[in-house]
Amino acid sequence: VEEKADSGFIYYGRHFKSADGSTPPAFGPLLMDHPTMSILTLPADNGTWGIGLIASAKDAPLRGLQHNDAWMRAVANFPLVAHWLDGEPIDDVAVMAKIEDRHRTFVIDGDPVATGVLSLADSWACTNPSLGRGISIGAKQAVALRDVLHDPPADPTELARCWHDATMRSVEPWYRATLAYDNQRLAQIEAAIDGRPFEADAEYELTRAMMSASMQDPEVLRAFVAVASVLRLPSEVLADPGVLDKVVRLGSGWRDAELPGPSHDELCAIAAGAAA
């Protein structure tokens, strides 16, 4: 059985290089969420890096960001990332759209639909890549596969069941958590575009509060890094003594901690300027 749907996001990205092999300093997290857009800054090797503007795929007025001039002006208007433009562009703006959230299950109601197939990593599931969890989830599942194959059942049907159960334990919760976060983030963006209140579910509310509180308390920061590194699920770190109380107390105002940058109307004007 395959679940498949468009994630709803579109990326406008470009790569740069420096003359001296350095990369720009980070003045905030690598993924910065603004009201109607997220910005991804990714340092790489040999003095290169990438910048991605992540928007709702439904946001047609921003499609002018596929043009180099509009894209450069848009990034320049975000104070915390504008300095990432201080390099030589090594390509034109690339657009990544129709990104699939996909999930495959080979055991239905306890019965394998195929034997001799042990799906791993992207052949099992994949999501919108903005949270950067793909390789970590794949590696986590590879460790689970190693453990299953260390002493595997001789019967192919039982092996398929065993691998399905191991997948459900080790990585299924991470897929579902990532999908839930993305769905809420997309809803948040689209609510901001429409000018209406965003009603977050409890899981997203706590995750965003944890992100905000992590900048104020070292214990919460360690908890957040554990989640970001795909070491522990949010529900696990929030169960640690005292962590939930700190998250609620320090992070409840996360909605008011808006990063500086242009409004959606200003972004639309920038995009329209180059597309005209």
Side-chain angles (χ1 to χ4, degrees):
V1 174
E2 182 175 76
E3 303 172 24
K4 184 167 63 174
D6 191 322
S7 71
F9 293 96
I10 185 170
Y11 288 64
Y12 304 94
R14 201 173 188 190
H15 297 88
F16 293 79
K17 67 177 180 179
S18 65
D20 60 3
S22 65
T23 54
F27 294 157
L30 297 182
L31 178 64
M32 295 189 186
D33 289 340
H34 293 263
T36 59
M37 173 182 286
S38 296
I39 304 178
L40 191 61
T41 47
L42 296 174
D45 55 1
N46 298 316
T48 61
W49 62 90
I51 307 171
L53 303 181
I54 310 171
S56 167
K58 296 179 181 178
D59 199 351
L62 293 189
R63 290 176 188 167
L65 295 177
Q66 65 186 291
H67 301 279
N68 291 343
D69 290 345
W71 187 93
M72 293 287 283
R73 286 201 302 274
V75 176
N77 273 271
F78 289 96
L80 297 182
V81 298
H83 64 289
W84 286 76
L85 297 175
D86 296 337
E88 178 187 348
I90 56 179
D91 55 13
D92 293 324
V93 176
V95 178
M96 184 168 66
K98 298 188 182 298
I99 305 164
E100 289 183 348
D101 291 320
R102 179 175 40 74
H103 180 281
R104 293 175 177 144
T105 302
F106 292 86
V107 175
I108 310 300
D109 296 329
D111 294 323
V113 296
T115 57
V117 177
L118 303 179
S119 60
L120 179 71
D122 283 358
S123 67
W124 163 68
C126 60
T127 65
N128 164 50
S130 66
L131 294 182
R133 292 176 173 175
I135 292 177
S136 297
I137 292 176
K140 199 176 189 75
Q141 194 181 19
V143 171
L145 179 61
R146 177 206 62 186
D147 294 342
V148 167
L149 295 182
H150 182 268
D151 186 20
D155 177 58
T157 299
E158 188 55 35
L159 176 59
R161 289 196 186 99
C162 184
W163 175 235
H164 172 77
D165 292 344
T167 295
M168 292 299 103
R169 289 192 305 270
S170 62
V171 289
E172 178 76 8
W174 285 103
Y175 173 81
R176 297 299 172 188
T178 303
L179 197 62
Y181 182 93
D182 281 347
N183 288 339
Q184 284 283 286
R185 174 57 183 153
L186 186 62
Q188 182 185 14
I189 288 174
E190 293 178 348
I193 292 172
D194 295 341
R196 52 183 169 80
F198 166 63
E199 299 296 333
D201 63 22
E203 182 179 354
Y204 190 76
E205 188 78 34
L206 282 174
T207 300
R208 295 306 298 250
M210 190 195 315
M211 293 167 67
S212 178
S214 69
M215 298 293 101
Q216 306 170 61
D217 182 88
E219 185 180 14
V220 180
L221 176 59
R222 285 191 291 271
F224 177 68
V225 169
V227 175
S229 303
V230 193
L231 297 174
R232 302 179 69 198
L233 289 161
S235 58
E236 295 172 342
V237 300
L238 290 171
D240 289 346
V243 172
L244 179 59
D245 290 342
K246 288 184 176 181
V247 166
V248 172
R249 177 167 50 85
L250 299 174
S252 59
W254 65 269
R255 295 168 184 268
D256 301 323
E258 190 172 300
L259 296 174
S263 67
H264 185 253
D265 286 344
E266 290 168 334
L267 283 171
C268 291
I270 290 171

